[in-house]
Amino acid sequence: MNFEENKDLFIRGALNEEETLKFLDSLDKAQKKEIEEAMELSAAFQIKKAESNLKKIQQYESKKTKVVAFRAWAAAAASLLLLAVFIWISKDSGAEKLANQHFSPYPNIAQPTMRNASEAAKDPGFLAYDAKDYHSALNAFNNKDSELDTIAFYKVNCLLALKEPQQALALLEMLNQKESTAFILPRKWLEALIMLMNKEYDQAIIALNQYFASGNAIEKQKAKNLIKEIEQLRP
Amino acid sequence: MTEQEKAATIESLKRGDEKAFKAIYLDTKSQFIPWIKTQYGLNEDNALDLYQSAFSVFYEKVEGGSFNFSQSAPATYIIAIGKNLALKTLKQNSKVLDPKELIFQHYTQEDGEEKKVLLKKMLLGLEQLKEPCKTLLEMYYYKKMSLKEIGNKMNHGNANVTKTQKSRCLNYLKKLIKKDK
């Protein structure tokens, strides 16, 4: 049997213990890499399946959700009252403050800190980003290839952390125009927050509805909550 | 749930009956939540997040055909996963739990950081993958179907077409993963 046939049987778990050992021993470097990739992809599908099961399971809790929803409603009503007083006191800063409350820089998954790994090998931009030094991170990212979508996305985060929403929006628009697939969902969230900062409430809600449509249960809830808060805030 | 009911439920679980999953979910939950709250001092929300994460893993194992009913009872398995996740969470001192992250932690507990990063990228890539590639790769890498079986399901005519299509889909996924780098 050739490699391709054996590989298929191995992936499907159709080889017995002896055949598996023989097959793994026979692999060259490239074949070994191919098998590792296949195993990683199988693992990724398992995780994805478990994540989608989570959505089903959360629906088992419908009754509880209603109770929680009622409590949340009561809490929201109380918050609304407080918010109304707050808006009455400081009408202008409400939208920006709400957006800032819902903003936190996206975690660095591009070059996360690894155990036992040397920090020296890490991109200076991401080193600064991890240290929450967004000014230095932005400078370092500016020196990199601005065509890289991931870098552009992290620049958007830096700009928002540095309270530069208009520059951040320009970068987001650039990514949208080139139909970048990088970080689509988190980008939508940031777009909604910038629209909110600009008091473009309708645009913010449109972006949040798009976020809601593609998000998981938690993300949907997050969008719903913010839409509610915006509805309470708008004139 | 009586022993007889449990046995019947297990048979239904094997057939993928949603009602059976819900019955096991509710039955095990009544044992798990009070226990984990007392044992680890968790609040109701965090206990529920842990439970749902553990149950999602169990659900996946049954659906994927890798859960061995003769080796472990569903409740024992779910509680063991939940306990393991609770211990890890407490070590990390997390106050708010993200069920998706808990699930990820469960599947990658043996992996190094490099592999974890790669898997996160793969998950992002799979989210962006369009049909028919998503279904085809899932049938091959998750449901462990042969190329012939996939070809029949997808009306490809013969296994060679499926093989070519699978290679194209895999290359497309790799491009998506690279794009996010």
Side-chain angles (χ1 to χ4, degrees), chain A residues 8 11-12 37 40 42 44 46 49-51 53-54 56-58 60-61 112 150 181-182 216, chain B residues 18 21 25 29 52 55-56 59-60 63 100 117-119 123 128 138 140-141 144 146 174 180-181:
Chain A
D8 280 354
I11 290 170
R12 290 167 47 214
E37 277 174 358
E40 279 152 6
S42 290
Q46 283 185 313
K49 275 278 158 190
E51 283 178 359
N53 290 339
L54 188 66
K56 279 190 218 167
I57 292 161
Q58 282 165 343
Y60 295 167
E61 294 286 337
T150 304
T181 54
N216 61 28
Chain B
E18 185 71 29
F21 279 103
Y25 174 89
K29 186 186 161 193
Q52 290 184 334
F55 195 87
S56 303
Y59 200 140
E60 183 279 312
E63 254 189 337
K100 271 175 96 173
V117 173
L118 179 70
L119 274 170
L123 287 169
Q128 294 160 31
E138 186 184 312
Y140 187 76
Y141 289 99
K144 317 283 185 195
S146 69
K174 282 180 185 171
D180 272 339
K181 270 186 185 172

Side-chain angles (χ1 to χ4, degrees), chain A residues 17-191:
Chain A
E17 205 175 320
E18 194 186 331
E19 288 165 339
T20 303
L21 288 172
K22 206 172 159 189
F23 170 64
L24 291 175
D25 277 345
S26 71
L27 301 177
D28 63 30
K29 211 176 168 184
Q31 289 168 337
K32 208 174 167 187
K33 194 170 176 248
E34 209 176 317
I35 292 295
E36 275 171 10
E37 277 174 358
M39 301 316 288
E40 279 152 6
L41 195 48
S42 290
F45 269 113
Q46 283 185 313
I47 298 170
K48 212 169 154 8
K49 275 278 158 190
E51 283 178 359
S52 68
N53 290 339
L54 188 66
K55 289 180 192 169
K56 279 190 218 167
I57 292 161
Q58 282 165 343
Q59 286 169 5
Y60 295 167
E61 294 286 337
S62 54
K63 279 184 188 166
K64 187 182 184 305
T65 313
K66 276 179 195 161
V67 176
V68 172
F70 174 75
R71 283 188 195 145
W73 178 85
S79 312
L80 178 63
L81 193 66
L82 284 172
L83 193 65
V85 175
F86 174 72
I87 291 167
W88 184 68
I89 295 167
S90 60
K91 237 177 187 172
D92 291 331
S93 61
E96 204 177 331
K97 193 160 185 177
L98 181 60
N100 286 330
Q101 278 168 0
H102 286 271
F103 170 71
S104 60
Y106 195 76
N108 166 20
I109 58 164
Q111 278 195 0
T113 304
M114 293 183 200
R115 271 198 302 267
N116 305 326
S118 162
E119 291 287 272
K122 207 163 164 179
D123 184 285
F126 284 107
L127 266 178
Y129 190 89
D130 286 345
K132 300 189 189 335
D133 180 0
Y134 299 110
H135 199 268
S136 306
L138 189 61
N139 283 340
F141 289 148
N142 281 337
N143 291 330
K144 286 185 77 79
D145 184 359
S146 59
E147 289 301 301
L148 287 171
D149 296 352
T150 304
I151 297 295
F153 172 74
Y154 281 98
K155 273 168 73 174
V156 170
N157 281 275
C158 289
L159 286 164
L160 281 176
L162 295 167
K163 315 269 183 242
E164 294 286 353
Q166 300 325 315
Q167 285 185 51
L169 183 60
L171 265 180
L172 279 181
E173 279 170 354
M174 181 274 285
L175 286 169
N176 291 344
Q177 269 168 19
K178 65 190 272 202
E179 294 181 349
S180 164
T181 54
F183 302 99
I184 290 183
L185 206 55
R187 266 165 48 204
K188 205 36 88 183
W189 180 257
L190 296 181
E191 192 186 311

